[in-house]
């Protein structure tokens, strides 16, 4: 087992001997970049094991949920599982692989920061969980990304999408999550992000923690924010 330690953020990657060679090389080359990218979102409390699988069927079993062709990796608090690059629908370059690994490590970091000690994971809404990971791995939404959002879709359904809906409309779920999480983070900032993680770690759950930290229910915040977002997107397209 190889252990790689980043300079910042407490990130340590554990690479087993059977890990795909391309992924191993990526981790070796990018460990410090990954640590720098994630450090502003908190510190890892445990190392993360990186493993690879050869087929989408194996990855689907790791996910324990419906998947589609966009899914090439799955995250848990202490493990990231990636489909080996040669099995992707389109063989990825280093930038795509780095973005994917960053996205999944952002999930692992969030899970580690939020999960009570007695639990291995905690329920976090799609818009918050996926939105944070997309922001960390890809940056803020571009004008092109905003324009591709389909205004005919139900933003509320996409924001709280379950595994089935994510499997059916992954790109739209990620786009809406990206926009909503950026709006939330712009409004509440790093201190409230840390406070919300702390509330969940104390066992209060996301909804209750959201209300305590933000001063209103998640449902009310989503309703207002989705309304504002729809208006803005309509104005941009007109």
């Amino acid at each position: 087992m190889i252990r790689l330690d980043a300079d910042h953020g407490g990130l340590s990657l554990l690479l087993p001997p059977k890990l795909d060679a391309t992924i191993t090389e990526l981790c070796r080359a990018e460990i410090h970049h990954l640590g720098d990218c994630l450090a502003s979102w908190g510190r890892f409390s445990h190392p993360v094991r990186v493993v690879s699988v050869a087929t989408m069927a194996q990855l689907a079993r790791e996910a324990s949920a419906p998947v589609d062709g966009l899914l090439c990796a799955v995250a848990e608090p202490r493990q990231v599982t990636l489909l080996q690059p040669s099995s992707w629908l389109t063989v990825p370059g280093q930038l795509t692989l780095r973005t994917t690994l960053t996205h999944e490590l952002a999930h692992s970091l969030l899970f580690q920061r939020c999960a009570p000690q007695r639990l291995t994971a905690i329920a976090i809404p799609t818009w918050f969980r996926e939105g944070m990971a997309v922001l960390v791995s890809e940056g803020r939404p571009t004008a092109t990304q905003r324009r591709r959002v389909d205004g005919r879709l139900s933003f509320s359904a996409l924001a709280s999408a379950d595994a089935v809906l994510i499997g059916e409309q992954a790109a739209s779920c990620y786009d809406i999550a990206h926009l909503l999480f950026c709006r939330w983070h712009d409004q509440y900032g790093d201190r409230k992000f840390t406070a919300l993680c702390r509330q969940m770690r104390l066992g209060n759950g996301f909804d209750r923690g959201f209300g305590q930290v933000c001063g209103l229910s998640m449902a009310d915040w989503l309703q207002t924010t989705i309304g504002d977002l729809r208006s803005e997107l309509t104005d941009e397209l007109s």
Side-chain angles (χ1 to χ4, degrees), residues 119-132:
L119 300 176
T120 57
I122 189 170
I124 302 173
T126 297
W127 70 268
F128 195 93
R129 181 187 73 246
E130 296 299 338
M132 179 241 182

Side-chain angles (χ1 to χ4, degrees), residues 197-214:
C197 290
R198 184 183 303 114
Q199 287 293 323
M200 286 186 277
R201 194 164 60 250
L202 292 172
N204 288 326
F206 187 90
D207 287 350
R208 183 178 178 187
F210 189 101
Q212 292 180 342
V213 169
C214 301

Side-chain angles (χ1 to χ4, degrees), residues 20-234:
D20 177 85
T22 300
I23 297 173
T24 298
E25 181 181 347
L26 173 79
C27 292
R28 287 182 179 276
E30 301 288 350
I31 180 63
H32 299 301
H33 172 85
L34 293 166
D36 291 343
C37 186
L38 292 157
S40 62
W41 296 93
R43 289 187 62 84
F44 286 85
S45 54
H46 303 281
V48 179
R49 188 167 180 260
V50 181
V51 301
S52 57
V53 294
T55 68
M56 184 65 77
Q58 289 175 294
L59 187 65
R61 287 195 291 272
E62 291 289 335
S64 301
V67 300
D68 75 349
L70 291 177
L71 184 68
C72 295
V74 176
E76 300 171 80
R78 303 190 192 186
Q79 179 169 301
V80 167
T81 303
L82 296 104
L83 184 66
Q84 65 185 31
S86 60
S87 298
W88 289 34
L89 294 178
T90 301
V91 178
Q94 180 162 323
L95 178 59
T96 299
L97 273 177
R98 186 177 74 186
T99 299
T100 300
L101 182 56
T102 305
H103 182 111
E104 300 307 325
L105 287 172
H107 283 323
S108 293
L109 175 59
L110 183 63
F111 297 155
Q112 288 191 18
R113 293 198 67 187
C114 294
Q117 290 299 313
R118 66 182 183 277
L119 300 176
T120 57
I122 189 170
I124 302 173
T126 297
W127 70 268
F128 195 93
R129 181 187 73 246
E130 296 299 338
M132 179 241 182
V134 177
L135 176 60
V136 173
S137 60
E138 300 181 26
R140 296 184 63 82
T142 64
T144 299
Q145 289 172 317
R146 289 173 64 87
R147 284 194 297 269
R148 78 185 180 196
V149 173
D150 188 343
R152 296 168 298 178
L153 298 174
S154 170
F155 288 11
S156 296
L158 294 170
S160 58
D162 60 11
V164 174
L165 184 55
I166 293 174
E168 295 172 349
Q169 301 187 51
S172 294
C173 289
Y174 295 149
D175 283 342
I176 294 301
H178 196 186
L179 293 174
L180 288 173
F181 182 83
C182 284
R183 185 62 55 90
W184 183 88
H185 191 258
D186 287 346
Q187 185 174 349
Y188 293 104
D190 290 335
R191 292 183 64 183
K192 296 289 188 181
F193 176 79
T194 297
L196 182 50
C197 290
R198 184 183 303 114
Q199 287 293 323
M200 286 186 277
R201 194 164 60 250
L202 292 172
N204 288 326
F206 187 90
D207 287 350
R208 183 178 178 187
F210 189 101
Q212 292 180 342
V213 169
C214 301
L216 74 168
S217 70
M218 182 185 72
D220 287 343
W221 182 85
L222 280 175
Q223 183 178 16
T224 298
T225 305
I226 287 172
D228 292 343
L229 184 58
R230 278 194 176 279
S231 297
E232 293 170 12
L233 293 173
T234 298

